[in-house]
Amino acid sequence: MTETQQNVDQTEIDKFSEIAAHWWDPQGQFKPLHAINPLRLSFIEEKCEGLFGKRILDVGCGGGILAESLAARGAEVTGIDMASASLEIAQLHSLETGVKVDYRCVSVETLAAEQPESFDVVTCMEMLEHVPDPASVISACAKLVKPGGKVFFSTLNRNLKAYLMGIVAAEYVLQWVPKGTHQYQRFLKPSELIKIADQAGLFTRSATGLHFDPFNQAFVLSDRNVDVNYILQCEKS
């Protein structure tokens, strides 16, 4: 087994493969991703000053919810994932909608060796907490983006509030996602992620929190609170 292949948790791959058929059901097991996708898309589009014509890589694309949305904005999108079952769903949905996305079953580390500095934008959303070595993924994302290009990471903070909201509430009380979706020890504090990104040559431009507003029953973005879910916006020097 090569070094790049080792940064895969087969348990995680199997977990998402088992529920791959539900990727595009907005009321199913990926309902939270459908709910937050418009926020993620508009955030990325705003920070990139438009997406049309840009070459974008979506790392850990799953069933293609974000990747297809980016492509629909006129970007040239490549989506990669190590769960072939999820990619099959993504490819089928792309054929149905006519929104073209280049999907590949390849690790981000392998692609970084093949295509360094090839993308204007790299997104890696809700993926770092599912791999054994997130630093390896972050480093690969830095290698893949062009100088001056932007990289977006989203993950969960590691603290008591994030445990209660991201695992206890989301998985067991509200049942937004399947039980066992997250492992608390793999959550990353913003300070940790910023440090790893800096070591990889990525300058952090902003950290923005993603919150659920119970009064309006909707997700919102706020740069004042990164206690649970958050998005890190980086730029390659």
Side-chain angles (χ1 to χ4, degrees):
M1 181 177 288
T2 68
E3 182 179 352
T4 56
Q5 288 174 322
Q6 289 178 348
N7 195 26
V8 174
D9 186 334
Q10 190 58 47
T11 301
E12 293 291 300
I13 298 297
D14 293 342
K15 182 193 305 178
F16 284 98
S17 295
E18 288 175 4
I19 57 176
H22 302 280
W23 268 106
W24 284 94
D25 178 1
Q27 299 302 320
Q29 300 187 62
F30 293 100
K31 180 179 178 179
L33 290 184
H34 285 277
I36 67 174
N37 193 58
L39 281 176
R40 298 189 304 181
L41 178 63
S42 61
F43 179 82
I44 295 167
E45 187 170 32
E46 176 189 345
K47 299 301 181 182
C48 293
E49 298 179 339
L51 301 175
F52 187 85
K54 289 185 169 65
R55 192 171 185 212
I56 302 179
L57 174 68
D58 187 22
V59 179
C61 64
I65 296 172
L66 177 61
E68 198 170 298
S69 298
L70 295 166
R73 288 288 199 272
E76 179 186 342
V77 182
T78 297
I80 64 172
D81 204 286
M82 293 301 287
S84 57
S86 295
L87 289 177
E88 289 175 6
I89 296 298
Q91 289 167 338
L92 285 171
H93 196 270
S94 178
L95 288 172
E96 291 174 356
T97 60
V99 178
K100 184 180 178 181
V101 178
D102 178 22
Y103 290 111
R104 293 186 58 187
C105 188
V106 62
S107 72
V108 65
E109 293 91 346
T110 296
L111 192 66
E114 293 178 1
Q115 301 182 39
E117 299 189 345
S118 296
F119 297 91
D120 302 300
V121 180
V122 175
T123 61
C124 182
M125 317 298 272
E126 287 80 48
M127 187 267 200
L128 293 175
E129 66 270 23
H130 297 290
V131 296
D133 185 3
S136 177
V137 173
I138 294 165
S139 177
C141 289
K143 292 174 183 175
L144 282 157
V145 74
K146 298 174 183 178
K150 294 178 172 55
V151 183
F152 297 87
F153 300 105
S154 69
T155 189
L156 289 120
N157 203 337
R158 192 177 69 255
N159 54 41
L160 179 59
K161 183 177 179 180
Y163 172 77
L164 292 174
M165 297 296 293
I167 295 180
V168 176
E171 296 183 17
Y172 292 87
V173 179
L174 300 172
Q175 297 182 359
W176 280 346
V177 295
K179 295 176 182 177
T181 295
H182 298 112
Q183 299 178 52
Y184 175 72
Q185 67 271 22
R186 286 187 173 174
F187 290 3
L188 279 169
K189 294 181 179 180
S191 58
E192 296 170 339
L193 182 48
I194 290 171
K195 181 178 180 180
I196 298 170
D198 181 67
Q199 292 171 341
L202 296 174
F203 174 75
T204 299
R205 290 291 186 185
S206 67
T208 303
L210 178 66
H211 312 277
F212 181 72
D213 180 354
F215 298 103
N216 295 310
Q217 290 292 298
F219 287 92
V220 295
L221 293 174
S222 171
D223 57 7
R224 293 177 295 178
N225 185 337
V226 294
D227 289 351
V228 187
N229 297 79
Y230 65 94
I231 303 174
L232 204 69
Q233 175 205 355
C234 302
E235 188 171 306
K236 185 173 182 176
S237 57

Short mmCIF file of all heavy atoms in Angstrom, two decimals, residues 84-120:
data_model
loop_
_atom_site.label_atom_id
_atom_site.label_comp_id
_atom_site.label_asym_id
_atom_site.label_seq_id
_atom_site.Cartn_x
_atom_site.Cartn_y
_atom_site.Cartn_z
N SER A 84 -16.51 4.95 -4.38
CA SER A 84 -16.97 4.79 -5.76
C SER A 84 -18.50 4.77 -5.85
O SER A 84 -19.07 5.24 -6.84
CB SER A 84 -16.39 3.51 -6.37
OG SER A 84 -16.74 2.37 -5.60
N ALA A 85 -19.16 4.25 -4.82
CA ALA A 85 -20.62 4.20 -4.84
C ALA A 85 -21.21 5.61 -4.87
O ALA A 85 -22.19 5.88 -5.57
CB ALA A 85 -21.15 3.43 -3.63
N SER A 86 -20.61 6.52 -4.11
CA SER A 86 -21.08 7.92 -4.11
C SER A 86 -20.83 8.57 -5.46
O SER A 86 -21.67 9.33 -5.97
CB SER A 86 -20.37 8.70 -3.01
OG SER A 86 -20.72 8.23 -1.73
N LEU A 87 -19.69 8.28 -6.06
CA LEU A 87 -19.36 8.86 -7.36
C LEU A 87 -20.30 8.37 -8.46
O LEU A 87 -20.65 9.12 -9.37
CB LEU A 87 -17.92 8.53 -7.74
CG LEU A 87 -16.83 9.24 -6.93
CD1 LEU A 87 -15.45 8.76 -7.36
CD2 LEU A 87 -16.93 10.76 -7.09
N GLU A 88 -20.73 7.12 -8.36
CA GLU A 88 -21.69 6.59 -9.34
C GLU A 88 -23.00 7.37 -9.28
O GLU A 88 -23.60 7.70 -10.31
CB GLU A 88 -21.93 5.11 -9.08
CG GLU A 88 -20.75 4.22 -9.43
CD GLU A 88 -20.98 2.77 -9.04
OE1 GLU A 88 -22.10 2.45 -8.61
OE2 GLU A 88 -20.03 1.97 -9.15
N ILE A 89 -23.44 7.68 -8.06
CA ILE A 89 -24.66 8.48 -7.89
C ILE A 89 -24.44 9.88 -8.45
O ILE A 89 -25.31 10.45 -9.13
CB ILE A 89 -25.04 8.56 -6.40
CG1 ILE A 89 -25.39 7.16 -5.86
CG2 ILE A 89 -26.21 9.53 -6.20
CD1 ILE A 89 -26.58 6.50 -6.53
N ALA A 90 -23.27 10.46 -8.18
CA ALA A 90 -22.96 11.80 -8.68
C ALA A 90 -22.97 11.84 -10.20
O ALA A 90 -23.52 12.77 -10.81
CB ALA A 90 -21.59 12.24 -8.15
N GLN A 91 -22.37 10.83 -10.81
CA GLN A 91 -22.31 10.78 -12.28
C GLN A 91 -23.70 10.61 -12.89
O GLN A 91 -24.03 11.24 -13.90
CB GLN A 91 -21.39 9.63 -12.70
CG GLN A 91 -19.92 9.91 -12.41
CD GLN A 91 -19.04 8.68 -12.52
OE1 GLN A 91 -19.53 7.55 -12.40
NE2 GLN A 91 -17.76 8.88 -12.72
N LEU A 92 -24.53 9.77 -12.27
CA LEU A 92 -25.89 9.57 -12.77
C LEU A 92 -26.70 10.86 -12.67
O LEU A 92 -27.44 11.22 -13.60
CB LEU A 92 -26.58 8.45 -11.99
CG LEU A 92 -26.15 7.02 -12.32
CD1 LEU A 92 -26.77 6.04 -11.32
CD2 LEU A 92 -26.57 6.65 -13.74
N HIS A 93 -26.55 11.56 -11.55
CA HIS A 93 -27.31 12.81 -11.37
C HIS A 93 -26.84 13.86 -12.37
O HIS A 93 -27.64 14.63 -12.90
CB HIS A 93 -27.16 13.32 -9.94
CG HIS A 93 -28.18 14.35 -9.58
ND1 HIS A 93 -27.98 15.70 -9.76
CD2 HIS A 93 -29.43 14.22 -9.06
CE1 HIS A 93 -29.04 16.36 -9.35
NE2 HIS A 93 -29.94 15.50 -8.93
N SER A 94 -25.55 13.89 -12.64
CA SER A 94 -25.00 14.83 -13.62
C SER A 94 -25.57 14.58 -15.01
O SER A 94 -25.90 15.52 -15.74
CB SER A 94 -23.48 14.71 -13.65
OG SER A 94 -22.92 15.57 -14.63
N LEU A 95 -25.73 13.31 -15.35
CA LEU A 95 -26.33 12.95 -16.63
C LEU A 95 -27.80 13.38 -16.70
O LEU A 95 -28.28 13.85 -17.73
CB LEU A 95 -26.23 11.44 -16.87
CG LEU A 95 -24.83 10.90 -17.18
CD1 LEU A 95 -24.86 9.37 -17.21
CD2 LEU A 95 -24.33 11.44 -18.52
N GLU A 96 -28.49 13.24 -15.58
CA GLU A 96 -29.91 13.61 -15.53
C GLU A 96 -30.11 15.11 -15.66
O GLU A 96 -31.05 15.57 -16.33
CB GLU A 96 -30.53 13.12 -14.22
CG GLU A 96 -30.65 11.60 -14.11
CD GLU A 96 -31.13 11.16 -12.74
OE1 GLU A 96 -31.29 12.03 -11.86
OE2 GLU A 96 -31.33 9.95 -12.54
N THR A 97 -29.26 15.88 -15.02
CA THR A 97 -29.43 17.33 -15.02
C THR A 97 -28.74 18.01 -16.20
O THR A 97 -29.07 19.15 -16.54
CB THR A 97 -28.87 17.94 -13.72
OG1 THR A 97 -27.46 17.64 -13.63
CG2 THR A 97 -29.60 17.38 -12.51
N GLY A 98 -27.77 17.33 -16.78
CA GLY A 98 -27.02 17.93 -17.88
C GLY A 98 -25.94 18.89 -17.41
O GLY A 98 -25.33 19.58 -18.23
N VAL A 99 -25.69 18.93 -16.09
CA VAL A 99 -24.63 19.78 -15.54
C VAL A 99 -23.34 18.95 -15.51
O VAL A 99 -23.24 17.98 -14.77
CB VAL A 99 -24.99 20.27 -14.12
CG1 VAL A 99 -23.85 21.12 -13.56
CG2 VAL A 99 -26.28 21.07 -14.15
N LYS A 100 -22.37 19.37 -16.28
CA LYS A 100 -21.16 18.57 -16.45
C LYS A 100 -20.16 18.75 -15.31
O LYS A 100 -19.78 19.86 -14.97
CB LYS A 100 -20.48 18.93 -17.78
CG LYS A 100 -19.25 18.08 -18.09
CD LYS A 100 -18.64 18.49 -19.42
CE LYS A 100 -17.38 17.66 -19.70
NZ LYS A 100 -16.75 18.08 -20.99
N VAL A 101 -19.77 17.62 -14.72
CA VAL A 101 -18.72 17.60 -13.71
C VAL A 101 -17.81 16.40 -14.01
O VAL A 101 -18.30 15.32 -14.35
CB VAL A 101 -19.30 17.44 -12.28
CG1 VAL A 101 -18.16 17.37 -11.25
CG2 VAL A 101 -20.24 18.59 -11.94
N ASP A 102 -16.51 16.60 -13.91
CA ASP A 102 -15.56 15.52 -14.12
C ASP A 102 -15.31 14.83 -12.78
O ASP A 102 -14.62 15.37 -11.90
CB ASP A 102 -14.25 16.08 -14.67
CG ASP A 102 -13.18 15.00 -14.87
OD1 ASP A 102 -13.56 13.82 -15.00
OD2 ASP A 102 -11.98 15.34 -14.88
N TYR A 103 -15.90 13.65 -12.61
CA TYR A 103 -15.76 12.91 -11.35
C TYR A 103 -14.66 11.86 -11.47
O TYR A 103 -14.59 11.12 -12.46
CB TYR A 103 -17.07 12.24 -10.96
CG TYR A 103 -18.14 13.21 -10.52
CD1 TYR A 103 -19.29 13.42 -11.30
CD2 TYR A 103 -18.03 13.92 -9.33
CE1 TYR A 103 -20.28 14.31 -10.90
CE2 TYR A 103 -19.01 14.81 -8.93
CZ TYR A 103 -20.12 15.00 -9.72
OH TYR A 103 -21.10 15.88 -9.32
N ARG A 104 -13.83 11.78 -10.43
CA ARG A 104 -12.74 10.80 -10.42
C ARG A 104 -12.62 10.14 -9.06
O ARG A 104 -12.72 10.82 -8.02
CB ARG A 104 -11.41 11.46 -10.77
CG ARG A 104 -11.29 11.98 -12.19
CD ARG A 104 -9.87 12.46 -12.46
NE ARG A 104 -8.89 11.39 -12.26
CZ ARG A 104 -7.57 11.59 -12.29
NH1 ARG A 104 -7.09 12.81 -12.51
NH2 ARG A 104 -6.74 10.57 -12.09
N CYS A 105 -12.38 8.84 -9.05
CA CYS A 105 -12.11 8.11 -7.81
C CYS A 105 -10.60 8.08 -7.61
O CYS A 105 -9.90 7.19 -8.10
CB CYS A 105 -12.68 6.69 -7.89
SG CYS A 105 -12.61 5.80 -6.31
N VAL A 106 -10.10 9.08 -6.94
CA VAL A 106 -8.67 9.24 -6.74
C VAL A 106 -8.44 10.02 -5.45
O VAL A 106 -9.26 10.86 -5.07
CB VAL A 106 -8.02 9.98 -7.94
CG1 VAL A 106 -8.60 11.39 -8.09
CG2 VAL A 106 -6.51 10.03 -7.83
N SER A 107 -7.35 9.74 -4.75
CA SER A 107 -7.05 10.48 -3.53
C SER A 107 -6.52 11.86 -3.88
O SER A 107 -5.94 12.08 -4.96
CB SER A 107 -6.02 9.73 -2.68
OG SER A 107 -4.73 9.80 -3.29
N VAL A 108 -6.71 12.81 -2.99
CA VAL A 108 -6.26 14.17 -3.24
C VAL A 108 -4.74 14.21 -3.31
O VAL A 108 -4.15 15.00 -4.07
CB VAL A 108 -6.80 15.13 -2.16
CG1 VAL A 108 -6.23 14.81 -0.78
CG2 VAL A 108 -6.53 16.58 -2.54
N GLU A 109 -4.07 13.34 -2.56
CA GLU A 109 -2.61 13.30 -2.60
C GLU A 109 -2.10 12.83 -3.96
O GLU A 109 -1.12 13.36 -4.50
CB GLU A 109 -2.07 12.37 -1.50
CG GLU A 109 -2.30 12.87 -0.09
CD GLU A 109 -3.60 12.39 0.53
OE1 GLU A 109 -4.48 11.87 -0.22
OE2 GLU A 109 -3.76 12.49 1.76
N THR A 110 -2.77 11.82 -4.52
CA THR A 110 -2.37 11.32 -5.84
C THR A 110 -2.60 12.38 -6.91
O THR A 110 -1.75 12.60 -7.79
CB THR A 110 -3.17 10.05 -6.20
OG1 THR A 110 -2.84 9.02 -5.26
CG2 THR A 110 -2.83 9.56 -7.60
N LEU A 111 -3.74 13.07 -6.84
CA LEU A 111 -4.03 14.11 -7.81
C LEU A 111 -3.05 15.26 -7.70
O LEU A 111 -2.67 15.87 -8.72
CB LEU A 111 -5.47 14.62 -7.62
CG LEU A 111 -6.00 15.51 -8.75
CD1 LEU A 111 -6.15 14.71 -10.04
CD2 LEU A 111 -7.34 16.12 -8.36
N ALA A 112 -2.61 15.57 -6.49
CA ALA A 112 -1.64 16.65 -6.28
C ALA A 112 -0.32 16.34 -6.97
O ALA A 112 0.35 17.24 -7.49
CB ALA A 112 -1.42 16.89 -4.79
N ALA A 113 0.05 15.07 -6.97
CA ALA A 113 1.28 14.66 -7.66
C ALA A 113 1.11 14.73 -9.17
O ALA A 113 2.07 15.01 -9.91
CB ALA A 113 1.66 13.24 -7.24
N GLU A 114 -0.12 14.49 -9.64
CA GLU A 114 -0.41 14.49 -11.08
C GLU A 114 -0.60 15.90 -11.64
O GLU A 114 -0.16 16.20 -12.75
CB GLU A 114 -1.67 13.68 -11.37
CG GLU A 114 -1.58 12.21 -11.11
CD GLU A 114 -2.91 11.51 -11.37
OE1 GLU A 114 -3.89 12.19 -11.78
OE2 GLU A 114 -2.98 10.29 -11.17
N GLN A 115 -1.30 16.75 -10.88
CA GLN A 115 -1.71 18.05 -11.41
C GLN A 115 -1.42 19.21 -10.44
O GLN A 115 -2.34 19.91 -10.01
CB GLN A 115 -3.21 18.04 -11.74
CG GLN A 115 -3.64 16.99 -12.75
CD GLN A 115 -5.12 17.09 -13.05
OE1 GLN A 115 -5.70 18.17 -13.15
NE2 GLN A 115 -5.76 15.94 -13.22
N PRO A 116 -0.17 19.43 -10.08
CA PRO A 116 0.12 20.53 -9.15
C PRO A 116 -0.21 21.88 -9.75
O PRO A 116 -0.06 22.10 -10.96
CB PRO A 116 1.64 20.38 -8.91
CG PRO A 116 2.14 19.68 -10.15
CD PRO A 116 1.04 18.74 -10.54
N GLU A 117 -0.72 22.78 -8.90
CA GLU A 117 -1.04 24.16 -9.27
C GLU A 117 -1.91 24.23 -10.52
O GLU A 117 -1.65 25.01 -11.44
CB GLU A 117 0.25 24.97 -9.44
CG GLU A 117 1.07 25.04 -8.16
CD GLU A 117 2.24 26.01 -8.24
OE1 GLU A 117 2.59 26.42 -9.36
OE2 GLU A 117 2.80 26.34 -7.18
N SER A 118 -2.97 23.42 -10.55
CA SER A 118 -3.85 23.34 -11.72
C SER A 118 -5.21 23.98 -11.53
O SER A 118 -5.94 24.14 -12.50
CB SER A 118 -4.05 21.86 -12.11
OG SER A 118 -2.85 21.27 -12.51
N PHE A 119 -5.56 24.34 -10.28
CA PHE A 119 -6.92 24.82 -10.02
C PHE A 119 -6.93 26.24 -9.45
O PHE A 119 -6.07 26.62 -8.66
CB PHE A 119 -7.63 23.86 -9.05
CG PHE A 119 -7.81 22.48 -9.60
CD1 PHE A 119 -6.84 21.50 -9.40
CD2 PHE A 119 -8.92 22.16 -10.37
CE1 PHE A 119 -6.99 20.22 -9.93
CE2 PHE A 119 -9.08 20.89 -10.91
CZ PHE A 119 -8.11 19.92 -10.69
N ASP A 120 -7.94 26.99 -9.87
CA ASP A 120 -8.12 28.35 -9.34
C ASP A 120 -8.67 28.31 -7.92
O ASP A 120 -8.37 29.18 -7.10
CB ASP A 120 -9.09 29.13 -10.23
CG ASP A 120 -8.63 29.22 -11.67
OD1 ASP A 120 -7.53 29.77 -11.90
OD2 ASP A 120 -9.34 28.72 -12.56
#
